[in-house]
Amino acid sequence: MRKDLALVLFYTRDNRYSFNALLGAIEGSLFIEILDIYLAESQAELLCKLEDIIEKYRRILLAFSFLTPQLWDIYRVVSSIREKFKDRVILMAGGPHPTGDPEGTLRMGFDLVIRGEGEETIIEFLEKIIGDEDYFSVKGLSLLDNNENVFSTGHRGPVDLDRYVPFSIRYGKFNPIEISRGCPFTCHFCQTPRIFGTNPRHRSVEKILEYVKIMKDRGLTDIRFIAPSIFSYGSLDGKTINLELLETLFREVREVIGPEGRVFIGTFPSEIRPEQVKEETLELIKKYGNNRNITIGAQSGSDRMLELIHRGHTVSDVYNAVSTARRLGFTVNVDFIFGLPFETEEDIDETIKVIEDLIDNDVRIHAHSFLPLPQTPLARFKPNPISAKYKKLLNRILPKGLVFGYWREQEALADKIYSYLSSHSI
């Protein structure tokens, strides 16, 4: 006898955090016991798994979550699924790229897109599917109608983080604990505020400690956090620092994890904005954290460019942050983005001077190339090639270990993304 429904996740390294959060949400639902879930970590495994289960279920949902740089790999996988299984599998997509480009995603071969935060949407959608009900009333979806026109089912409001587990306990899929969503700093290259909004939301200390305890019980004693900026935790506006709540969080996490555990603050995936690097915030890392290295987002060494891309800080803030961190004994990495639109020779020269000043202060540069991303104000602007001046500098400091990152690969990818966003042709 065929079972009713299977949910298959294309669970790759780049999308595992998103799926862990969705699994955590599904595990808390009433229908978890009647839903079979499968994870596939590669295209070969996915095809093999689908072949194995295709006759065992009346309906199979295949879920993808992906970023814009993954677009071409995902397209190849989707094309192979459609070729082999036709319409016997329902394909749905979520994550940053589908949220920003639902029409392009649907025309790649997907049946529906889950836009924005997925926890509430996926549960309501699955409830409708399991009950054989019309799911067009579920907010947060985009689909194609019978005339191949895109329509959306409406906007879904922000999620209450305390209602959902940030990872999958049932399947043992753990990740850094997401403590905040929403970012008031609407940087023009960044999707985060467009997906999660500009009003910060924070998971309560009590809930965070609950998840730290679960991880400790599983022998996972390295604790990291996910936040747009780690020192914005607990802040009502995301800009001011709630030092008291920050200390409460770090102190109580340290107490739970114990001396045998490690707590990482201000490193991936919760870097620090430069204006939030202060003696009192860094002292919290020294007191409760195990890392003595931090990552600071500068993005440009030109005040004109920082204002144009809406960063909300100045070059002076970067210098002050690095000076404070080095004085307190921290190793510092600083992010820069090359190839930004509107950058002039003067902007480039100013950025190079800042970088040279920083490396003279034993700072490592984390180099990126600008990537135009859907839904952002810079999505339709052509990336600049990395200037010869930048390349000369990077090539000079690379053998010294003073720069790291994937800026060369990103530079080539930026042109592909720009061409796609301009034409919607893969």
Side-chain angles (χ1 to χ4, degrees), residues 151-172:
F151 74 94
S152 296
T153 59
H155 177 71
R156 184 176 292 276
V159 164
D160 178 355
L161 294 181
D162 272 0
R163 291 185 58 193
Y164 298 100
V165 183
F167 42 58
S168 171
I169 301 170
R170 185 187 186 101
Y171 290 89

Side-chain angles (χ1 to χ4, degrees), residues 10 12 14 42-43 46 64 66-81 108 110 413 416 426:
F10 189 49
T12 63
D14 290 330
S42 67
Q43 180 176 346
L46 178 60
F64 293 75
F66 57 98
L67 304 161
T68 301
Q70 298 174 269
L71 181 62
W72 291 268
D73 291 335
I74 296 296
Y75 177 71
R76 283 190 287 270
V77 176
V78 168
S79 297
S80 69
I81 297 298
M108 284 171 60
F110 284 96
L413 184 58
K416 285 183 68 176
I426 296 180

Side-chain angles (χ1 to χ4, degrees), residues 354-369:
V354 172
I355 291 174
E356 289 178 335
D357 289 344
L358 296 183
I359 62 177
D360 285 344
N361 204 12
D362 296 323
V363 169
R364 292 180 74 213
I365 305 303
H366 189 192
H368 308 265
S369 285

Side-chain angles (χ1 to χ4, degrees), residues 207-223:
K207 282 292 184 180
I208 295 169
L209 296 178
E210 179 183 323
Y211 303 132
V212 173
K213 290 172 185 174
I214 290 170
M215 294 180 69
K216 183 181 180 182
D217 289 343
R218 296 291 185 96
L220 302 170
T221 56
D222 279 4
I223 303 300

Side-chain angles (χ1 to χ4, degrees), residues 6-12 15 18-19 22-23 26 37-41 46 50 60-66 74 77-78 81 89-95 98 110-114 122 125-126:
L7 173 63
V8 182
L9 308 182
F10 189 49
Y11 187 88
T12 63
N15 61 40
S18 297
F19 275 139
L22 284 187
L23 283 170
I26 293 170
I37 299 177
Y38 299 88
L39 276 61
E41 299 185 7
L46 178 60
L50 289 173
I60 296 175
L61 297 173
L62 174 54
F64 293 75
S65 177
F66 57 98
I74 296 296
V77 176
V78 168
I81 297 298
V89 177
I90 300 171
L91 298 182
M92 57 183 184
F110 284 96
D111 295 296
L112 63 103
V113 166
I114 293 179
I122 190 66
F125 171 74
L126 289 172

Side-chain angles (χ1 to χ4, degrees), residues 119-171:
E119 289 94 340
E120 291 180 353
T121 306
I122 190 66
I123 290 173
E124 189 176 340
F125 171 74
L126 289 172
E127 286 174 344
K128 298 291 186 183
I129 290 286
I130 290 169
D132 278 326
E133 299 176 37
D134 179 359
Y135 54 76
F136 294 159
S137 63
V138 177
K139 290 183 178 180
L141 302 180
S142 288
L143 310 99
L144 293 175
D145 64 19
N146 293 332
N147 296 316
E148 295 294 300
N149 295 315
V150 178
F151 74 94
S152 296
T153 59
H155 177 71
R156 184 176 292 276
V159 164
D160 178 355
L161 294 181
D162 272 0
R163 291 185 58 193
Y164 298 100
V165 183
F167 42 58
S168 171
I169 301 170
R170 185 187 186 101
Y171 290 89

